[in-house]
Amino acid sequence: MKEEEEALCEEEEELLQSLPKEKGWASQYMYLYQQFWCFPPLVQATISFQKHFQAKHNDIVIASLPKSGTTWLKALAFATVKRHRFVPSSQNHPLLNSNSHTIVPFFEFNIYGGEDNVIPDLSTIPEPRIFGTHIPFPSLSHSIHNSNCKIIYICRNPFDAFISHWHFFKTILPSSLPTLTLEEAFEGYCEGIHPFGPFWSHILGYWNASKDKPSKVLFLKYEEIKANTNFELKRMAQFLGCPFTKEEESGGLVDSIIELCSFKKMKELEINKSGKIANLIENKHFFRKGETGDWVNYFSPSMIEKLSKVIEEKLGEFGLFF
Ligand code: A3P
């Protein structure tokens, strides 16, 4: 076993040496693996996921760039899909006792990202299984591409996503590393050198897939879910093949899911005030402001001009943000 681990480390090291690298956020090296930037442990985790994950036809994958509303979408999807097993208004609902990242694990962090390189048995998870990922669309495992499983992508205005990511990242950085300044993070972001970036190719990968295969990929926006949660939630349930019945709607079920997953409710839960994910990241860091437009409090005029230009250049023709 020890020899196998050593061989794996050598292989990993060789692969890393062959990849383009740049100093990323907080002066740590990031590597360009399959056209996206990530820190070394994620390269190995992504390879393991690509090699081992076997999708089932009824799996659901929640995909996003970090800080786009993943925590919220995972909760909404879980509460909707499992509503017959767990009544959303119940005092024992799993989302009241566990953070949604614990209930809906990430492939690259929780499932295939363990330091022990153990491949978990996922076959016994109750169906439909729900997973999360920040891995870009082209790098998802073949079995996800080839099965009938469904993907829901949540996209957020890059201005807000950037500010949220900067806050989160500097909060979780070990104290041994230098502080991540807004300016440093911003430069990297505009060049596409940030975790799972460039943001424009990540967004476009899922956007194009949602146009090519609308029954496989649903593209949602954080701002639209915020503005009309009821409508977007029903759209999601319809897409997942479990639309709400008239009786469910008139009986207040949709409203109780929205309430259960609301920012205010989730932020105030004891588990989200004091709990941790995988004993590492404190749950409270996933709930900051939960607003749209907070970026105005941080951007200087020159930053606005610079990021607007990048968005216009890379995403302008798709009319996604303006
Ligand atoms: P802010 O930092 O702007 O507040 P992710 O879940 O992808 O990590 O994204 C985190 C962002 O979503 C944070 O944004 C967080 O506050 C916000 N968020 C978390 N839960 C939410 C909820 N239930 N409703 C709305 N926004 C939520």
Side-chain angles (χ1 to χ4, degrees), residues 204-217:
L204 275 186
Y206 284 97
W207 172 253
N208 289 332
S210 75
K211 296 287 153 202
D212 289 349
K213 297 178 187 166
S215 61
K216 185 167 184 76
V217 183

Side-chain angles (χ1 to χ4, degrees), residues 22 24-25 30-32 35-38 65 185-202 306-307 310 314:
E22 289 283 346
W25 285 8
M30 296 185 81
Y31 292 79
L32 188 65
Q35 307 304 316
F36 70 96
W37 290 100
C38 54
L65 274 167
F186 185 69
E187 287 310 308
Y189 194 69
C190 289
E191 286 171 32
I193 306 171
H194 57 93
F196 303 95
F199 67 85
W200 52 87
S201 34
H202 199 283
K306 185 162 178 172
L307 186 54
V310 173
K314 306 289 186 186

Side-chain angles (χ1 to χ4, degrees), residues 249-312:
E249 271 195 62
S250 58
L253 186 99
V254 177
D255 292 334
S256 56
I257 292 178
I258 293 172
E259 162 62 17
L260 174 68
C261 303
S262 69
F263 180 79
K264 194 164 173 276
K265 173 96 183 175
M266 292 181 88
K267 191 180 166 83
E268 287 307 315
L269 291 173
E270 194 47 46
I271 184 68
N272 289 330
K273 282 189 191 165
S274 57
K276 282 187 179 177
I277 293 169
N279 237 352
L280 281 173
I281 299 180
E282 292 182 73
N283 293 342
K284 66 179 182 199
H285 299 319
F286 289 92
F287 306 92
R288 194 181 61 95
K289 284 194 174 172
E291 291 168 4
T292 56
D294 183 44
W295 64 270
V296 296
N297 299 312
Y298 297 88
F299 272 62
S300 65
S302 68
M303 287 168 75
I304 298 176
E305 193 186 334
K306 185 162 178 172
L307 186 54
S308 303
K309 213 167 145 205
V310 173
I311 295 173
E312 179 52 35

Side-chain angles (χ1 to χ4, degrees), residues 64-72 101 134 156 160 164 222 226 261-263 266 286-291:
S64 61
L65 274 167
K67 314 328 288 175
S68 300
T70 327
T71 316
W72 190 19
H101 295 296
H134 291 320
R156 190 176 191 189
D160 275 333
S164 180
Y222 180 91
K226 255 322 275 171
C261 303
S262 69
F263 180 79
M266 292 181 88
F286 289 92
F287 306 92
R288 194 181 61 95
K289 284 194 174 172
E291 291 168 4

Side-chain angles (χ1 to χ4, degrees), residues 37-145:
W37 290 100
C38 54
F39 293 110
L42 283 169
V43 176
Q44 188 54 43
T46 304
I47 293 172
S48 181
F49 154 66
Q50 291 171 336
K51 208 160 150 186
H52 299 288
F53 180 67
Q54 285 306 318
K56 294 187 181 183
H57 73 281
N58 57 351
D59 282 346
I60 297 164
V61 179
I62 305 296
S64 61
L65 274 167
K67 314 328 288 175
S68 300
T70 327
T71 316
W72 190 19
L73 184 60
K74 281 180 172 182
L76 288 169
F78 178 84
T80 300
V81 169
K82 307 279 182 180
R83 64 190 188 265
H84 301 300
R85 186 153 171 231
F86 305 114
V87 178
S89 55
S90 143
Q91 294 309 305
N92 298 321
H93 194 283
L95 282 166
L96 298 175
N97 300 310
S98 300
N99 179 276
S100 62
H101 295 296
T102 307
I103 296 177
V104 178
F106 280 109
F107 288 128
E108 62 275 20
F109 300 120
N110 316 103
I111 301 177
Y112 296 102
E115 280 179 8
D116 46 12
N117 291 317
V118 171
I119 307 306
D121 176 15
L122 307 176
S123 63
T124 54
I125 297 178
E127 297 180 21
R129 304 180 304 177
I130 315 177
F131 301 103
T133 192
H134 291 320
I135 294 173
F137 184 75
S139 294
L140 294 177
S141 75
H142 287 299
S143 76
I144 291 185
H145 287 294

